[in-house]
Amino acid sequence: MASNSASEIVDAVGGPGNIASLTHCATRLRFQLNDGDKVDKTAVEAIPGVLGAVPQAGDRFQVVIGGGVQTVYNEIMALPVMAGGASAAGAGESDADIKARERAKGPRGTNAWLDTLFEFLSDSFRPILGALLGASLFITFMALAATLGWIPAWNAPGVVLPPSWAFVNLMWQCVFIFLPLMVAYNASQKIGADPWVGFAIMAVTMLPGFAGLGKTADAVQTTFLGSQITTVQVFGLPLTIFDYSSQVFPPLLMAAVLGLVYKGLKKVIPENIQLIFVPFISMLVMIPLTAFLIGPIGVYAGAALANLLSSINTFSPFIFAIVIPLAYPFMVPLGLHWPINAIMLLNIQTLGYDFIQGPMGAWNFACFGATAGVLVLAWREKDKQMRQTATGALAAGLLGGISEPSLYGIHLRYKRIYPRMLVGCLTGGLIIGVGSLLLGLPHGITTQAFVFTSLLTIPAFDPIGLYLIAVAGAFVVAMVLVIISGYKNPEPAGAAVAAATAGAASVAPGAARDTIPAVAGGAELAGVAGEGAQTATAVAERAAAVGALIQVAAPLDGTVVPLDTVPDPVFAGGVMGPGVAIEPTGTTVYAPGAGVVVAAQPTGHAFGLQLDNGAEILIHVGIDTVNLKGEGFDVKVKNGDRVETGTPLVTFDRAVIEKAGYPLITPVIVLNGDTFDTVDPVKLGPVTHGAPLLDVQKKA
């Protein structure tokens, strides 16, 4: 991606002054913005190299790049406008300005706390994904070497490897043994504490001397919750000695508490001595608290979750093998898979194997198979942009086991893909479940290492034959179904209106192109080379006379102008479909024909109608008027209402809209324009409601 594309991304998210902070994960740029409403999602997704965009609650915004995200991040941070930090340009705001802006925005969603939780989990792991991926390939290499008989069972108790192979074995152990320290650093940094203080606190529990306390004469063995544990009296209190290697729950809990302590100390300690006393007091409080309380709680909490999943798997590996692949497609986009990853690591440490990654592989390969199907169709259709997107996503998946480029770049933008991908997930899960029953596998497919499910890590699974058949089945079924059915699904009028009413500028052009093929006949509408919104072919079948000319009436008084004069690129470019726009002189919007209201927005700024003559009409009153949240609009109808030509839909207050600075120009769009031969304006200039506005020629 060129540096000008990096500059375009910054501009599209509201400029450098709107960026409070910027980080990145394996595939995505993660923006924390000052005002999420300033983002032009359409412009973001139109930038070359961008696979998709994901708005989130709490003014967060993610831009999906793929494997080259580090390069793009570096290019953005190297821009002159970003000098001095992501939010430097916003430094001119006073405290009062910031508070006023925040008050004006109001609540931005009911799940911001949930977004924050999973951002915390994600950002605690994402910086070490590269190390985890590298370690997983070393583990796979060791497993392959054992399978081929080059070395003995490398992870069996009591096995001593030759020095050369023992050294190779250390290459992955370095990551997993010290994983708690890495997580503690990242989680502490995310929570706003000194990451090295978090690192040092967790490091105490991993010192040889800490483990050595359990070997002293004062140590005692006790039974707690059915497990044998070692305790020793320290200052008269029982200290539980655990092996914290590979643990992730204790450092996460520790960091969460450390963040509260750190912020509290900064409030009470004078600024000129904070450098000395905030870290010292934090460590003084948190080291004993972690060793005596937080660490054991984290161990037991993780064990409880792991035991719950283990019980389900033991009860019925067949059910477990089906549920996991079907659940993951919904868990990954929400970030709910991060706790499961932690449980996988815990399983390997406590059980010596993990039983989740095998079924998870069915989901991953179904995901990659769906992407492969899209790639095949993109080659057939000579769609260069989609070929590039699908090729990059497929490479990231098959070689790295990373599903985000496929999910955000393709699957979540094309609703037709997910059901077919789920069939692939079900196929892989059924193969694992049935195979486990036939082979008498009490835990299904297992692996003795934490790996990313890709082509390169297949040798890490046991039995490898069953796993290979399952992931191949998931891949092929998803791919074939996508190739057979296609992925560019029809979009009903209601959905198109819903997209438009979120603010026309927020409709992603990529997504619009996915669902809105070109209008037959090209740019008939006053030079607008637009694209019409395709819906179900049943719309055309409802037409009474094939080839007949039908008309759509004007919905309000005003002046008819070409669509390309609308100050919004989505409408002006014909992305939503062909039509015209009206500069209103009246203040009431009427039904342009007899039919049914399929989308009446409570804010009053947009309406979708299914007319009896087969036309699906979108009327969008003004531009960006959704931001008024209904102020100045008196809605007269609701979804499902029957209307006739001239039925009032809404009355609006011109003064309110003009005072807010929003254009009153009102696009009138034929959403299913490609089901007709032509969509032409009757004339430009003055018009009254009920007069002919559009001539629509049905297909012969």
Side-chain angles (χ1 to χ4, degrees):
M1 180 178 289
S3 58
N4 61 326
S5 295
S7 179
E8 289 175 16
I9 292 176
V10 172
D11 292 340
V13 299
N18 195 37
I19 302 174
S21 63
L22 172 61
T23 58
H24 70 89
C25 61
T27 59
R28 285 166 281 173
L29 297 170
R30 296 171 177 267
F31 289 91
Q32 177 64 58
L33 303 173
N34 294 319
D35 186 354
D37 291 333
K38 292 183 178 180
V39 175
D40 188 342
K41 185 170 179 286
T42 298
V44 172
E45 293 194 323
I47 297 171
V50 172
L51 302 180
V54 188
Q56 294 185 309
D59 292 313
R60 299 185 183 92
F61 190 77
Q62 298 183 4
V63 180
V64 185
I65 301 296
V69 66
Q70 176 71 57
T71 301
V72 179
Y73 172 81
N74 292 340
E75 290 175 351
I76 290 177
M77 298 308 293
L79 293 173
V81 295
M82 298 296 287
S87 59
E93 287 185 295
S94 67
D95 290 344
D97 291 336
I98 295 173
K99 291 177 180 178
R101 170 167 52 77
E102 292 301 311
R103 283 196 299 268
K105 287 190 300 185
R108 291 192 53 78
T110 59
N111 294 319
W113 68 270
L114 193 61
D115 284 341
T116 300
L117 171 62
F118 288 110
E119 281 289 315
F120 170 66
L121 292 173
S122 173
D123 287 351
S124 297
F125 283 98
R126 65 166 182 78
I128 56 176
L129 285 180
L132 288 171
L133 178 58
S136 73
L137 294 181
F138 280 117
I139 294 171
T140 303
F141 177 67
M142 295 293 293
L144 181 61
T147 301
L148 296 176
W150 299 347
I151 58 175
W154 56 281
N155 53 356
V159 170
V160 177
L161 295 173
S164 299
W165 285 100
F167 180 78
V168 174
N169 210 31
L170 294 176
M171 293 182 181
W172 69 264
Q173 290 183 9
C174 64
V175 175
F176 289 99
I177 288 178
F178 295 108
L179 185 62
L181 302 180
M182 301 179 187
V183 173
Y185 180 95
N186 294 330
S188 300
Q189 187 174 51
K190 177 63 179 177
I191 214 71
D194 186 331
W196 289 111
V197 171
F199 182 99
I201 292 168
M202 199 64 216
V204 171
T205 65
M206 301 190 67
L207 289 172
F210 181 84
L213 292 175
K215 301 175 183 178
T216 63
D218 295 328
V220 296
Q221 299 291 325
T222 59
T223 301
F224 182 73
L225 297 179
S227 300
Q228 288 290 324
I229 61 173
T230 302
T231 61
V232 63
Q233 293 292 317
V234 176
F235 299 116
L237 298 174
L239 174 64
T240 307
I241 307 299
F242 287 108
D243 178 8
Y244 284 95
S245 300
S246 301
Q247 290 280 352
V248 293
F249 286 97
L252 289 172
L253 292 177
M254 179 277 298
V257 178
L258 174 62
L260 298 176
V261 172
Y262 220 79
K263 292 175 183 177
L265 290 174
K266 281 194 167 185
K267 290 181 179 179
V268 299
I269 296 178
E271 187 172 345
N272 58 340
I273 58 174
Q274 284 182 2
L275 179 62
I276 301 172
F277 288 101
V278 170
F280 167 69
I281 298 177
S282 296
M283 295 173 69
L284 180 64
V285 172
M286 289 302 302
I287 289 176
L289 191 61
T290 300
F292 282 91
L293 186 62
I294 295 176
I297 288 176
V299 171
Y300 287 123
L305 291 174
N307 288 338
L308 175 62
L309 291 179
S310 180
S311 298
I312 297 173
N313 187 54
T314 301
F315 173 74
S316 178
F318 178 80
I319 295 176
F320 192 84
I322 295 174
V323 170
I324 290 295
L326 291 177
Y328 254 82
F330 305 100
M331 294 168 62
V332 173
L334 297 174
L336 296 174
H337 62 302
W338 289 108
I340 305 300
N341 289 346
I343 293 174
M344 294 173 187
L345 291 164
L346 190 61
N347 285 337
I348 294 168
Q349 184 197 35
T350 57
L351 302 176
Y353 63 87
D354 175 60
F355 49 85
I356 303 174
Q357 295 174 76
M360 187 188 75
W363 127 253
N364 261 0
F365 277 87
C367 174
F368 307 150
T371 302
V374 171
L375 179 59
V376 171
L377 294 176
W379 275 101
R380 288 181 182 176
E381 298 166 3
K382 298 181 179 179
D383 186 340
K384 181 179 179 180
Q385 183 175 1
M386 181 50 67
R387 284 205 311 265
Q388 293 174 343
T389 300
T391 299
L394 190 60
L398 293 179
L399 299 179
I402 301 174
S403 60
E404 279 86 347
S406 291
L407 275 179
Y408 292 108
I410 303 174
H411 300 175
L412 292 175
R413 295 169 61 185
Y414 298 85
K415 298 176 183 178
R416 202 175 185 88
I417 293 179
Y418 244 66
R420 286 129 187 100
M421 182 175 66
L422 288 175
V423 176
C425 293
L426 178 62
T427 301
L430 283 172
I431 293 174
I432 293 174
V434 173
S436 298
L437 291 175
L438 294 177
L439 298 175
L441 303 175
H443 306 295
I445 292 177
T446 61
T447 177
Q448 296 175 328
F450 180 82
V451 297
F452 288 68
T453 48
S454 66
L455 286 176
L456 302 178
T457 59
I458 288 177
F461 292 88
D462 181 41
I464 186 174
L466 178 60
Y467 179 75
L468 185 58
I469 294 172
V471 297
F475 184 93
V476 171
V477 167
M479 180 181 69
V480 170
L481 288 178
V482 169
I483 292 175
I484 291 175
S485 66
Y487 64 96
K488 296 180 179 178
N489 56 299
E491 187 79 11
V497 173
T501 56
S506 69
V507 179
R513 285 191 296 269
D514 304 339
T515 58
I516 308 173
V519 177
E524 297 95 345
L525 186 55
V528 178
E531 298 172 329
Q534 178 180 353
T535 62
T537 55
V539 172
E541 296 173 1
R542 288 195 296 269
V546 175
L549 179 69
I550 62 175
Q551 287 188 325
V552 176
L556 72 166
D557 301 335
T559 302
V560 182
V561 296
L563 197 61
D564 60 4
T565 62
V566 177
D568 181 279
V570 174
F571 288 122
V575 173
M576 298 304 298
V580 292
I582 299 176
E583 292 280 7
T585 55
T587 58
T588 300
V589 179
Y590 303 90
V596 176
V597 178
V598 296
Q601 296 300 312
T603 53
H605 74 288
F607 296 85
L609 298 98
Q610 176 69 68
L611 302 186
D612 294 344
N613 58 23
E616 296 180 357
I617 305 299
L618 167 66
I619 305 170
H620 199 285
V621 185
I623 302 301
D624 293 332
T625 46
V626 63
N627 298 327
L628 293 173
K629 298 180 173 59
E631 182 182 358
F633 290 86
D634 182 12
V635 181
K636 310 292 186 182
V637 294
K638 61 181 182 301
N639 290 352
D641 281 358
R642 175 77 189 176
V643 295
E644 302 297 329
T645 304
T647 299
L649 302 178
V650 66
T651 298
F652 56 88
D653 189 331
R654 296 179 62 96
V656 171
I657 299 174
E658 290 172 344
K659 182 179 179 181
Y662 299 123
L664 275 165
I665 189 169
T666 299
V668 182
I669 305 296
V670 180
L671 292 172
N672 58 332
D674 68 331
T675 64
F676 302 103
D677 270 338
T678 59
V679 177
D680 293 316
V682 173
K683 65 174 183 177
L684 302 180
V687 70
T688 57
H689 73 272
L693 179 70
L694 294 170
D695 283 335
V696 181
Q697 182 75 47
K698 295 181 178 179
K699 286 185 177 181

